[in-house]
Amino acid sequence: MRYVQGRARRARAALAAVVTWAGLLSGAAGCAADGSVGGAFGPPGGGEHIRVAPGDGSKDVRPDAGLRVRVPDGRLESVEVVVSRDARESPVPGRISADGRTWRPDDARLALAAKYTVDAVAVDGDGRRSARHTTFTTHVPAERFIGYVAPEDRSTVGTGMIVSLEFNRKIVHRAAVERAVRVTARPAVEIRPHWFGGSRLDFRPEHYWKPGTRVTVDLRLRDIEGAPGVYGLQDRTFTFTVGRSQVSVVDAARHTMRVRRDGELLATVPVTAGARKTPTYNGKMVITEMLEVTRMDSRTVGFGGEYDIPDVPHAIRLTDSGTFLHGNYWADAEVFGRSNVSHGCVGLRDVKGGGADTPAGWFFDRSLVGDVVEVVNSRDEQVAADNGLGGWNMNWRKWKAGSAVK
């Protein structure tokens, strides 16, 4: 930024020096009222033949209006354009055409809520220079949208993590928004998007991530029109790292959970799953939240007043609808590994306040957001792909079909 401002100041200083020098020789140098420079640079008002669109002083210019500087004859010698927004100035890259008569920016779209300053110098057929200085301001949207990204920036996650964006406004122009989000990985792997309705966009590879993968999420949503009159606000980058692989399989019929780390069996843990009337979902679920202690009230998940426990320890969220894998200190110890008595969660033996040496504490301490917990042999249906990060339950062909870019 300092370099650009310095260069602009030097250009203006050089321009002023030439005008002063010409004035000493001719006594006729001067500046026209519209910002064009006459005298040694041509006749008074000579800068008017440098035509800038949008026009000088224009307001509320739309992003697709386009920016162009041109001369009907002669050639453009230099064009400098600066955009100012959020109290920051940035140069606008662009090119003069081969015939020297037109300058256009590299990016045809204008930034919103911004001020543009254009300084152009042209030379006519007789070698006379003229200059023009113009400004205009662009449209300030009344409504903006942002995307909330999971996982957190610079986090380390399990191999089942799905990149998920929740938008605070319903997205109508889904293809435009999808093109403005780029998810890449190192080592490289194919990553594809899938829309769930108009406010959620998820990304994943065909199979679980490889341990050690570094994933980058580039949001270039600034000024993208997500719905009529609603424009994006974000222009930033998130990164996260994939840690070791841990997949745990809960067998609801056997009342066990087999925990595998990098393919090796770590432990078989006795559990209690959902009872006959309130079974646990089948399918692959991804850990999205880990709480040392939380309150669980049956009224918040569609039940009556069956329970309200203020201090559930080692609570690991598996679905948005309220499925947790958690410590349980209130049930008889005999139920773990023998029967299913929960309201749909998976319970592990624990003590009040949570114990590090209990099955629940052991599993909590060895888990990451992004780890996979798969439930099999339950009496319930398969978990929906949009209930939490349940996208691994959808085959690759169907997943790819959820893209808005065809």
Side-chain angles (χ1 to χ4, degrees), residues 20 33 36 63-64 83 90 116 137 141 239 244 284 300-301 342 344 358 380:
T20 302
S36 59
D64 56 355
V83 59
S90 304
Y116 280 80
T137 56
T239 62
R244 80 292 175 277
K284 300 178 179 71
T300 65
V301 290
S342 85
T358 63
D380 206 351

Side-chain angles (χ1 to χ4, degrees), residues 155-178:
S155 59
T156 298
V157 301
T159 55
M161 190 68 214
I162 292 175
V163 177
S164 186
L165 280 76
E166 288 275 0
F167 298 104
N168 67 332
R169 296 282 190 276
K170 184 176 181 180
I171 303 301
V172 176
H173 306 313
R174 293 191 299 173
V177 170
E178 184 180 316

Side-chain angles (χ1 to χ4, degrees), residues 33-174:
D34 68 350
S36 59
V37 180
F41 290 81
E48 291 180 356
H49 84 289
I50 302 176
R51 298 169 186 175
V52 181
D56 189 26
S58 296
K59 302 180 185 305
D60 198 38
V61 176
R62 296 289 164 164
D64 56 355
L67 171 57
R68 185 176 69 168
V69 181
R70 67 185 183 91
V71 290
D73 53 51
R75 61 181 176 82
L76 290 166
E77 189 172 74
S78 66
V79 177
E80 290 191 1
V81 180
V82 174
V83 59
S84 176
R85 63 176 176 177
D86 301 333
R88 298 175 60 184
E89 290 187 349
S90 304
V92 177
R95 298 181 182 183
I96 297 174
S97 61
D99 63 7
R101 295 198 175 180
T102 305
W103 177 94
R104 293 183 186 274
D106 293 344
D107 185 351
R109 288 185 63 83
L110 299 172
L112 291 170
K115 178 181 179 180
Y116 280 80
T117 302
V118 180
D119 285 289
V121 176
V123 180
D124 68 14
D126 296 324
R128 295 177 300 183
R129 287 183 173 83
S130 59
R132 191 161 193 200
H133 172 87
T134 68
T135 64
F136 64 90
T137 56
T138 56
H139 176 66
V140 179
E143 293 186 81
R144 293 282 201 172
F145 76 88
I146 60 173
Y148 299 98
V149 180
E152 294 183 355
D153 189 26
R154 293 178 291 181
S155 59
T156 298
V157 301
T159 55
M161 190 68 214
I162 292 175
V163 177
S164 186
L165 280 76
E166 288 275 0
F167 298 104
N168 67 332
R169 296 282 190 276
K170 184 176 181 180
I171 303 301
V172 176
H173 306 313
R174 293 191 299 173

Side-chain angles (χ1 to χ4, degrees), residues 170-342:
K170 184 176 181 180
I171 303 301
V172 176
H173 306 313
R174 293 191 299 173
V177 170
E178 184 180 316
R179 290 189 185 98
V181 181
R182 187 165 179 255
V183 182
T184 56
R186 191 174 62 203
V189 64
E190 183 183 10
I191 303 166
R192 299 295 291 270
H194 187 98
W195 284 91
F196 294 105
S199 60
R200 176 174 163 184
L201 176 61
D202 286 7
F203 291 81
R204 72 167 175 90
E206 183 175 4
H207 305 291
Y208 299 149
W209 305 99
K210 290 183 178 180
T213 299
R214 181 176 174 84
V215 182
T216 300
V217 182
D218 286 309
L219 299 186
R220 296 296 175 254
L221 297 172
R222 183 71 181 256
D223 300 345
I224 299 298
E225 190 174 27
V230 183
Y231 294 86
L233 190 60
Q234 293 158 297
D235 190 1
R236 61 172 302 188
T237 298
F238 297 81
T239 62
F240 64 90
T241 302
V242 179
R244 80 292 175 277
S245 168
Q246 182 167 296
V247 177
S248 304
V249 178
V250 174
D251 190 325
R254 294 177 177 272
H255 319 297
T256 61
M257 179 173 69
R258 294 169 66 84
V259 183
R260 292 186 179 275
R261 173 78 61 82
D262 296 322
E264 298 293 328
L265 182 65
L266 283 185
T268 300
V269 184
V271 303
T272 181
R276 179 180 291 270
K277 292 184 178 180
T278 54
T280 306
Y281 286 122
N282 282 295
K284 300 178 179 71
M285 292 168 264
V286 175
I287 294 175
T288 57
E289 186 179 22
M290 299 178 63
L291 305 168
E292 293 280 355
V293 62
T294 193
R295 177 182 178 181
M296 291 188 177
D297 183 348
S298 58
R299 294 174 181 84
T300 65
V301 290
F303 293 117
E306 289 91 338
Y307 62 86
D308 185 0
I309 306 169
D311 57 352
V312 177
H314 296 131
I316 297 173
R317 180 181 289 277
L318 301 179
T319 70
D320 291 341
S321 62
T323 306
F324 279 79
L325 189 156
H326 61 78
N328 183 322
Y329 64 81
W330 53 90
D332 292 335
E334 291 77 14
V335 304
F336 300 101
R338 295 186 180 181
S339 59
N340 294 327
V341 299
S342 85

